[in-house]
Amino acid sequence: MNDITQLQLQVGKEVGVSPWFLIAQDRIDQFASATVDPQWIHIDPERAKRESPYGSTIAHGFLTLSLLSHLLESSVDVSRMKMGVNYGLNRVRFTDAVPAGSRIRARFVLSKFEEIKGGKQLTWSVTVEREGADKPACIAEWVTRQYG
């Protein structure tokens, strides 16, 4: 699907499921450095192995959240638009940890499609799954804007 107006017909439906994406320790370390969040639960594998209830380091919740743009882009093609921007989040919950070495993917349900000046506003219900887990790692209501 590369015509955004076709998305209007998909409100209430799952529009895309991203490919699995590896959350490696080096990505967690880079995120910790970039966000100045060096908490040991994220960056100290030996200590996390000994002291963490997860038995390993885990990704920052905000790392998982920050990957939504990539995961959406890898699963929903709206290439005819010139520019897309994050407009915000209405609700976010980090419902399960993402241990280093896990793979995640996102499911995107289009909740709303609205006309705005110069473009479209899309509200997505997003579920980020961790491979092999019983519950999602993150659930979010995410608002994007597309301009053409």
Side-chain angles (χ1 to χ4, degrees):
M1 173 179 330
N2 57 12
D3 183 348
I4 196 162
T5 58
Q6 292 175 352
L7 277 177
Q8 188 167 14
L9 304 173
Q10 302 300 313
V11 172
K13 298 178 185 173
E14 184 173 84
V15 177
V17 179
S18 73
W20 290 107
F21 186 86
L22 178 65
I23 305 297
Q25 184 63 51
D26 65 332
R27 184 173 305 278
I28 295 169
D29 293 342
Q30 291 169 0
F31 190 84
S33 178
T35 59
V36 195
D37 185 358
Q39 190 178 150
W40 66 266
I41 192 79
H42 303 301
I43 65 166
D44 189 338
E46 290 305 314
R47 184 174 177 188
K49 188 176 182 178
R50 286 190 319 270
E51 299 179 32
S52 165
Y54 308 107
S56 73
T57 55
I58 60 171
H60 304 71
F62 286 139
L63 169 56
T64 302
L65 192 62
S66 73
L67 290 168
L68 291 186
S69 293
H70 169 72
L71 297 171
L72 179 65
E73 187 176 285
S74 69
S75 59
V76 178
D77 178 15
V78 288
S79 58
R80 290 189 184 170
M81 298 305 293
K82 290 182 183 175
M83 178 180 71
V85 297
N86 290 319
Y87 191 63
L89 295 146
N90 293 333
R91 180 178 167 90
V92 178
R93 295 291 181 267
F94 302 113
T95 51
D96 199 11
V98 177
S102 296
R103 295 191 328 156
I104 62 169
R105 71 177 174 190
R107 295 182 172 278
F108 297 93
V109 173
L110 184 60
S111 299
K112 282 186 193 173
F113 183 100
E114 301 167 277
E115 298 283 338
I116 58 170
K117 185 177 180 179
K120 316 291 185 213
Q121 180 168 292
L122 309 176
T123 302
W124 301 96
S125 293
V126 185
T127 302
V128 179
E129 304 170 328
R130 180 171 54 90
E131 190 173 39
D134 293 332
K135 62 183 181 176
C138 177
I139 53 173
E141 186 177 79
W142 179 36
V143 183
T144 64
R145 287 188 166 183
Q146 302 289 326
Y147 297 94

